């Protein structure tokens, strides 16, 4: 069952339940107040009759004209002696006239039913001194009141049916508007599944529901994110194919030279072996970087802990200084600067930055670590060839090289800085590049210390 039908049925059933309770309450409340009103009318009439001197002492109760002045067309009034003998009566309604005689010594008020008629009665004793000489009985048939109640029931029924019909059409119209964006979203998903092309939902500015606007915006943001992800994947595949094409072509070409002339020509054989070895090494490096970058796209890539940044920088600087025979100077604001993050990934980030600085400069490299207002700042500074200003925004793109020929000479594949940027982003950090050609480059990284 669709959400529209469920919502409509729930609303109708709930409305019917409320209307039934409301109609029952109104019906019985009207009966109560009208019956109490009739009782007051009869009570006032009885009190007025008891004040009559002929009835007050029981001496004139036999007068046939005594009760006529109090008579109403829907009533029957009679005076009954203790022996159940009716000594005076007035009335014309056959139902009331056929009521059985029952003498009572105490005041009594109530209601009885005869056929389809409701009859309200009041019985009071008539005293002559301390003695009860008779009983005054007033009976009123509530036919007019019942007619009004029938009109009330008919009115309540008509209005309830009208309210239910109005609620059915109104709820169906409202739920149609309410579920329209959802249906549009479903249709868009089906169209995406059918065509394989991502599409957004066009939100209406007239839509009043904030929740639906949030739903549409969330769906469109998801589509935008998927679109960007697919675009990056396509670009990555295209760039990877392009990067893999060159070493494979070189290896294939030199393998063909070896096959044709290498057996007899030692120079060609040595040249081919060197070229194949060089390109194989580069291919391995490229494959390793691509796998690392793919792994970095996973959300659970980080294994975070509290560690000392200064210790990591000092240890790494000493190792690279020994390996490359290049001075790396470390300046720290204090002996210990702690931050919460993935120690191995931060170390990998520093390896990438220091490796680039070593490749593209010959002077000593400076690394500074500082802590200010819970912000850990790491700067890697070299005095190398620098980077043109227009190239800086593209540095962290995959396979991008500021100078392709120079990068190939140094063995770069254009993925190191992309991996570095991903590490910084996963740590919710910030990376900035300051560089001028022939004056050097400074890469500044900032992380929130946390915990």
């Amino acid at each position: 069952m669709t959400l529209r039908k469920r919502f409509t049925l729930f609303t109708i059933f709930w409305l019917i339940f409320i209307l039934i309770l409301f109609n029952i309450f109104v019906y019985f409340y009207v009966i109560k107040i009208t019956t109490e009103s009739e009782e007051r009318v009869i009570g006032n009439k009885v009190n007025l009759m008891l004040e009559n001197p002929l009835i007050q002492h029981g001496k004139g109760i036999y007068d046939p004209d005594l009760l006529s002045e109090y008579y109403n067309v829907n009533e029957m009034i009679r005076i009954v002696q203790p022996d159940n003998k009716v000594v005076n009566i007035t009335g014309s309604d056959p139902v009331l006239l056929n009521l059985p005689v029952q003498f009572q010594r105490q005041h009594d008020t109530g209601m009885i039913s005869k056929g389809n008629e409701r009859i309200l009665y009041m019985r009071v004793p008539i005293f002559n001194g301390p003695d009860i000489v008779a009983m005054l009985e007033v009976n009123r048939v509530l036919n007019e009141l019942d007619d009004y109640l029938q009109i009330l029931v008919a009115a309540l029924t008509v209005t309830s049916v009208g309210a239910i019909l109005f609620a059915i059409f109104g709820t169906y119209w409202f739920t149609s508007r309410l579920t329209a964006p959802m249906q549009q979203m479903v249709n868009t998903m089906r169209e995406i599944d059918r065509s394989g092309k991502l599409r957004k939902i066009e939100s209406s500015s007239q839509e009043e529901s904030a929740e639906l606007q949030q739903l549409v915006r969330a769906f469109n943001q998801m589509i935008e994110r998927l679109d960007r992800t697919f675009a990056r994947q396509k670009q990555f595949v295209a760039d990877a194919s392009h990067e893999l094409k060159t070493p494979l072509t070189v290896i294939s070409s030199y393998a063909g030279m070896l096959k044709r002339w290498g057996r007899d020509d030692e120079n060609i054989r040595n040249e081919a072996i060197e070229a194949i070895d060089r390109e194989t090494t580069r291919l391995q490096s490229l494959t390793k970087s691509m796998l690392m970058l793919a792994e970095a796209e996973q959300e659970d890539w980080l294994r975070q802990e509290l560690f000392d940044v200064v210790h990591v920088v000092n240890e790494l600087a000493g190792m690279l200084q020994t390996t490359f025979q290049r001075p790396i100077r470390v300046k720290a604001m204090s002996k210990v600067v702690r931050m919460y993050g993935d120690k191995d990934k931060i170390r990998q980030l520093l390896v990438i930055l220091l490796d680039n600085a070593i490749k593209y400069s010959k002077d000593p490299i400076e690394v500074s670590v500082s802590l200010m207002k819970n912000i850990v700042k790491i700067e890697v500074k070299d005095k190398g060839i620098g980077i043109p200003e227009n190239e800086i925004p593209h540095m962290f793109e995959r396979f991008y090289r500021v100078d392709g020929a120079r990068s190939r000479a140094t063995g770069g594949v254009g993925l190191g800085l992309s991996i570095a940027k991903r590490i910084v982003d996963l740590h919710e950090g910030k990376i900035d590049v300051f560089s001028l050609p022939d004056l050097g480059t400074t890469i500044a990284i900032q992380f929130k210390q946390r915990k």
Side-chain angles (χ1 to χ4, degrees), residues 198-404:
L198 298 178
R199 290 177 51 194
K200 294 182 182 179
I201 295 178
E202 295 182 2
S203 59
S204 173
S205 58
Q206 298 178 352
E207 178 59 55
E208 298 180 357
S209 174
E211 292 81 3
L212 287 179
Q213 287 182 355
Q214 292 176 358
L215 180 62
V216 171
R217 282 197 296 268
F219 180 83
N220 289 339
Q221 288 173 358
M222 180 189 69
I223 293 297
E224 288 179 358
R225 183 176 178 182
L226 288 174
D227 197 16
R228 291 194 300 268
T229 301
F230 291 159
R232 286 198 301 266
Q233 288 179 348
K234 290 179 181 179
Q235 185 64 37
F236 180 79
V237 171
D239 293 340
S241 300
H242 177 75
E243 293 296 325
L244 292 171
K245 180 180 179 181
T246 301
L248 291 175
T249 301
V250 173
I251 292 173
S252 177
S253 299
Y254 276 100
M257 289 176 58
L258 280 175
K259 186 177 180 180
R260 289 192 295 271
W261 305 297
R263 293 184 178 91
D264 302 323
D265 193 329
E266 183 178 357
N267 293 331
I268 292 178
R269 186 168 59 249
N270 292 336
E271 179 184 353
I273 291 173
E274 290 294 332
I276 291 173
D277 181 69
R278 182 174 61 253
E279 293 301 323
T280 301
T281 302
R282 183 170 177 274
L283 191 60
Q284 289 175 340
S285 177
L286 176 61
T287 304
K288 182 179 178 181
S289 297
M290 290 170 59
L291 291 174
M292 187 182 300
L293 188 60
E295 183 184 358
E297 294 297 330
Q298 300 178 7
E299 297 296 331
D300 58 346
W301 191 47
L302 298 182
R303 298 291 183 269
Q304 303 195 57
E305 60 180 328
L306 191 64
F307 66 95
D308 181 11
V309 181
V310 177
H311 176 73
V312 173
V313 172
N314 284 328
E315 182 183 33
L316 183 60
M319 183 191 71
L320 295 178
Q321 188 170 255
T322 302
T323 302
F324 295 100
Q325 296 298 311
R326 292 283 302 280
I328 300 176
R329 301 168 184 169
V330 179
K331 298 179 181 179
M333 182 185 70
S334 59
K335 292 183 178 180
V336 177
V337 175
R338 297 187 179 276
M339 69 167 283
Y340 189 76
D342 191 318
K343 179 179 178 181
D344 293 334
K345 299 304 183 295
I346 297 297
R347 189 176 187 278
Q348 182 181 355
L349 165 66
L350 293 172
V351 168
I352 293 171
L353 299 182
L354 288 171
D355 182 64
N356 282 345
I358 292 170
K359 287 178 181 178
Y360 302 124
S361 67
K362 296 181 180 180
D363 295 322
I365 298 167
E366 296 180 1
V367 182
S368 62
V369 182
S370 60
L371 175 64
M372 185 175 296
K373 297 181 180 180
N374 293 326
I375 299 296
V376 177
K377 187 174 182 180
I378 305 172
E379 290 187 350
V380 178
K381 183 177 181 181
D382 66 64
K383 298 180 181 179
I385 57 177
I387 304 169
E389 184 177 357
N390 61 328
E391 302 283 357
I392 292 177
H394 306 286
M395 283 180 56
F396 301 102
E397 297 178 5
R398 296 172 179 176
F399 300 106
Y400 185 83
R401 296 185 181 89
V402 176
D403 185 338

Side-chain angles (χ1 to χ4, degrees), residues 117-238:
E117 303 287 350
R118 293 187 306 140
I119 300 171
L120 187 65
Y121 67 87
M122 181 174 290
R123 297 164 187 164
V124 294
I126 299 174
F127 291 89
N128 183 11
D131 300 324
I132 298 175
V133 297
M135 177 192 72
L136 175 63
E137 181 181 5
V138 179
N139 298 275
R140 170 174 287 195
V141 63
L142 303 178
N143 50 2
E144 293 184 2
L145 178 59
D146 290 341
D147 292 339
Y148 292 144
L149 289 176
Q150 291 179 0
I151 295 174
L152 175 64
V153 171
L156 290 175
T157 302
V158 171
T159 54
S160 298
V161 172
I164 292 172
L165 293 176
F166 177 79
I168 291 174
F169 291 107
T171 304
Y172 190 81
W173 173 83
F174 175 74
T175 52
S176 298
R177 287 191 51 131
L178 184 66
T179 58
M182 300 180 188
Q183 186 61 44
Q184 187 179 3
M185 190 177 300
V186 172
N187 294 336
T188 303
M189 290 179 179
R190 289 175 177 170
E191 179 63 22
I192 291 172
D193 182 59
R194 185 188 64 82
S195 63
K197 296 181 180 179
L198 298 178
R199 290 177 51 194
K200 294 182 182 179
I201 295 178
E202 295 182 2
S203 59
S204 173
S205 58
Q206 298 178 352
E207 178 59 55
E208 298 180 357
S209 174
E211 292 81 3
L212 287 179
Q213 287 182 355
Q214 292 176 358
L215 180 62
V216 171
R217 282 197 296 268
F219 180 83
N220 289 339
Q221 288 173 358
M222 180 189 69
I223 293 297
E224 288 179 358
R225 183 176 178 182
L226 288 174
D227 197 16
R228 291 194 300 268
T229 301
F230 291 159
R232 286 198 301 266
Q233 288 179 348
K234 290 179 181 179
Q235 185 64 37
F236 180 79
V237 171

Side-chain angles (χ1 to χ4, degrees), residues 97-112:
L97 293 174
N98 290 327
L99 291 176
V101 179
Q102 185 179 0
F103 180 83
Q104 286 183 277
R105 291 182 173 273
Q106 67 275 0
H107 185 285
D108 184 27
T109 301
M111 184 179 294
I112 58 176

Side-chain angles (χ1 to χ4, degrees), residues 388-445:
E389 184 177 357
N390 61 328
E391 302 283 357
I392 292 177
H394 306 286
M395 283 180 56
F396 301 102
E397 297 178 5
R398 296 172 179 176
F399 300 106
Y400 185 83
R401 296 185 181 89
V402 176
D403 185 338
R406 181 181 63 192
S407 296
R408 292 185 185 279
T410 57
V413 296
L415 288 177
L417 289 178
S418 297
I419 297 172
K421 181 66 165 59
R422 180 60 178 168
I423 294 173
V424 172
D425 291 340
L426 288 176
H427 283 83
E428 299 179 1
K430 179 182 178 183
I431 184 168
D432 295 306
V433 180
F434 308 95
S435 182
L436 290 174
D438 301 323
L439 293 179
T441 302
T442 299
I443 296 182
I445 312 166

Side-chain angles (χ1 to χ4, degrees), residues 3-15:
L3 179 62
R4 181 189 305 175
K5 290 182 180 179
R6 288 183 180 180
F7 190 82
T8 302
L9 290 176
F10 174 79
T11 304
I12 299 306
F13 287 148
W14 185 246
L15 178 62

